[in-house]
Amino acid sequence: MPNDSNLLSTIPVGQLGIVALASCTTLGERVDAYLSKWRTARNNAEKSTIAFNGYEKESYLVASTCPRFGSGEAKGVLQESVRGKDLYILVDVTNYSIEYTLYGRKCPMSPDDHYADIKRILAACGGKARKITVIMPFLYEGRQHKRSNRESLDCALCLQELVSLGVDNIITFDAHDPRVQNAIPLHGFENIRPTYQFLKALLLSSHDLELDKEHLMVISPDEGAMNRAIYFANILGVDVGMFYKRRDYTTVVNGRNPIVAHEFLGDSVEGKDVIIIDDMISSGESMIDVAKQLKSRNAKRVYCMSTFGLFTNGLAVFDQANADGIIEKVITTNLTYQTPELISKDWYISADMSKYIALLIDHLNHDASISKILDPTDRIQDRIQEYRQKHTIRENF
């Protein structure tokens, strides 16, 4: 159970309600289980007062569905009242495992479909909820965050549309460019990085790491990931390196300029374990190419960390990279859909984010500050010291 001394001094905003859309059912159930456990065990003398009505429940999940007609059209349905509730809507816009019928054909749900379902549920609320927070780990259209030609600004439009539909706060993880929050400057936007969960998963799975600059190095696969690489390297007390993507700007393939080569900037990685950290693994080609470059420079072991493991081109390339000794482990979070095949891979480690999300919801429902939760530096240093002493860490912390 988390340290909740500051929670006891504040009153919940309203009765807690969690709407886990079909794309986020498993994560929503895990978050709900943590909240129910904590609030049942919490020793709060005021839980019996009217301000805490409905505070302690077996489940805070609000049943909802988005049934579809044969034409592919749909509607959002809430199966219980949300009047006066503090609602948290969880959605994974990258979950392609859910299908619907369109003119007799099975179609996987796209990010556009998932986003439309959010709007349907918001419309079903009818303005009756007291406060609405959308937890969208993978920010919808986050990769289309800027305009460099005559093109749409989809992410900014998404944020403005959600706000116009009554959303008070938006929580996302490792946004491709967090500056997109400038589209809604007067509303809440939290961009969270799962650094602590990455470190925890790494230290639990590897018991022979040396956490010093002589034996470990953090690598950014491109200039865009440099900030997170610098932060991770600083908390570990190790050096950082970067690869520069040299692109062919005369051609466009699948909407992008193809990468010609990766140029390395940094100190020698010879004999060192290296951590490649990025916001997402899409096809994985770029991550594997960087790993190959590091191995050609005599790096010892290569660990890949990414908030979102999409694996759009399948897992075969990672199977081969692991078999060839190019990649040691791949760590991603459970914020996006994970196939059973992925979970079963020896080279894959899942960093569970459900407890962290539950902690955020618990604090926000109490209208308490989340500043300390967003800054995990102290917790990270405690785990590093524990690992240096025992070469292992406790599972629960």
Side-chain angles (χ1 to χ4, degrees), residues 12 29 35 41 63 77 106 111 118 134 138 143 147 157 221 242 263 282 287 301 315 368 388:
E29 289 173 350
L35 288 166
V77 180
K106 290 289 185 180
I118 299 174
V134 169
F138 188 97
R143 300 168 81 176
R147 175 180 286 153
L157 285 173
M242 184 191 82
E263 307 290 349
S282 185
M287 186 75 79
R301 292 176 296 187
L315 304 176
R388 284 173 175 163

Side-chain angles (χ1 to χ4, degrees), residues 118-389:
I118 299 174
K119 295 188 288 184
R120 293 181 177 110
I121 293 300
L122 290 172
C125 291
K128 302 301 189 296
R130 182 170 180 180
K131 190 176 182 181
I132 299 178
T133 299
V134 169
I135 301 178
M136 188 189 299
F138 188 97
L139 187 60
Y140 174 71
E141 293 291 2
R143 300 168 81 176
Q144 186 53 32
H145 59 95
K146 63 182 178 181
R147 175 180 286 153
S148 56
N149 206 328
R150 290 185 294 274
E151 56 189 26
S152 58
L153 285 169
D154 294 40
C155 190
L157 285 173
C158 154
L159 297 179
Q160 291 180 349
E161 190 172 18
L162 289 178
V163 164
S164 70
L165 290 171
V167 174
D168 299 283
N169 297 298
I170 297 170
I171 296 176
T172 190
F173 287 79
D174 231 338
H176 196 66
D177 188 346
R179 290 175 296 182
V180 74
Q181 67 184 287
N182 292 337
I184 50 169
L186 300 182
H187 292 78
F189 183 96
E190 299 293 345
N191 177 48
I192 303 169
R193 289 180 177 172
T195 310
Y196 174 75
Q197 287 74 20
F198 277 158
L199 183 72
K200 180 180 175 182
L202 175 66
L203 298 185
L204 282 170
S205 63
S206 304
H207 303 294
D208 58 348
L209 289 171
E210 296 294 335
L211 305 182
D212 56 57
K213 61 175 60 180
E214 286 75 28
H215 300 91
L216 186 65
M217 194 169 178
V218 177
I219 303 295
S220 171
D222 54 41
E223 58 275 22
M226 197 60 188
N227 284 340
R228 65 177 62 87
I230 290 173
Y231 175 71
F232 201 62
N234 284 343
I235 61 176
L236 288 172
V238 301
D239 292 330
V240 65
M242 184 191 82
F243 277 88
Y244 167 68
K245 290 180 180 177
R246 187 149 52 88
R247 295 180 181 272
D248 180 6
Y249 287 98
T250 63
T251 59
V252 177
V253 178
N254 294 328
R256 304 177 67 186
N257 301 110
I259 299 170
V260 177
H262 286 90
E263 307 290 349
F264 182 64
L265 305 173
D267 292 336
S268 172
V269 298
E270 185 173 357
K272 296 180 179 179
D273 291 323
V274 293
I275 298 171
I276 308 173
I277 188 166
D278 205 357
D279 60 339
M280 76 174 72
I281 295 175
S282 185
S283 66
E285 293 178 358
S286 179
M287 186 75 79
I288 291 174
D289 189 23
V290 168
K292 288 179 179 178
Q293 296 263 7
L294 292 169
K295 293 297 285 187
S296 70
R297 290 172 168 80
N298 299 318
K300 185 180 176 183
R301 292 176 296 187
V302 177
Y303 295 87
C304 299
M305 291 184 180
S306 180
T307 306
F308 307 110
L310 305 182
F311 303 102
T312 56
N313 285 3
L315 304 176
V317 290
F318 283 91
D319 286 334
Q320 190 62 50
N322 178 252
D324 294 341
I326 296 170
I327 289 175
E328 182 74 13
K329 296 287 184 182
V330 177
I331 302 174
T332 70
T333 69
N334 61 341
L335 294 172
T336 51
Y337 172 65
Q338 299 166 304
T339 63
E341 181 188 6
L342 175 63
I343 295 295
S344 68
K345 296 296 182 181
D346 293 336
W347 48 261
Y348 179 71
I349 302 170
S350 177
D352 183 22
M353 299 298 297
S354 56
K355 187 175 182 180
Y356 192 28
I357 294 175
L359 199 59
L360 288 166
I361 291 176
D362 204 15
H363 276 64
L364 291 172
N365 180 234
H366 275 262
D367 208 17
S369 173
I370 60 173
S371 297
K372 290 184 178 180
I373 303 176
L374 297 180
D375 183 8
T377 304
D378 291 339
R379 285 182 293 156
I380 288 173
Q381 292 304 320
D382 288 341
R383 303 318 293 269
I384 290 175
Q385 292 304 317
E386 181 183 4
Y387 185 84
R388 284 173 175 163
Q389 293 172 6

Side-chain angles (χ1 to χ4, degrees), residues 60-85:
Y60 301 94
L61 291 172
V62 176
S64 66
T65 58
C66 289
R68 290 182 177 269
F69 304 100
S71 60
E73 298 167 290
K75 62 180 178 180
V77 180
L78 291 171
Q79 297 175 349
E80 59 184 273
S81 174
V82 296
R83 184 180 294 275
K85 287 191 175 181

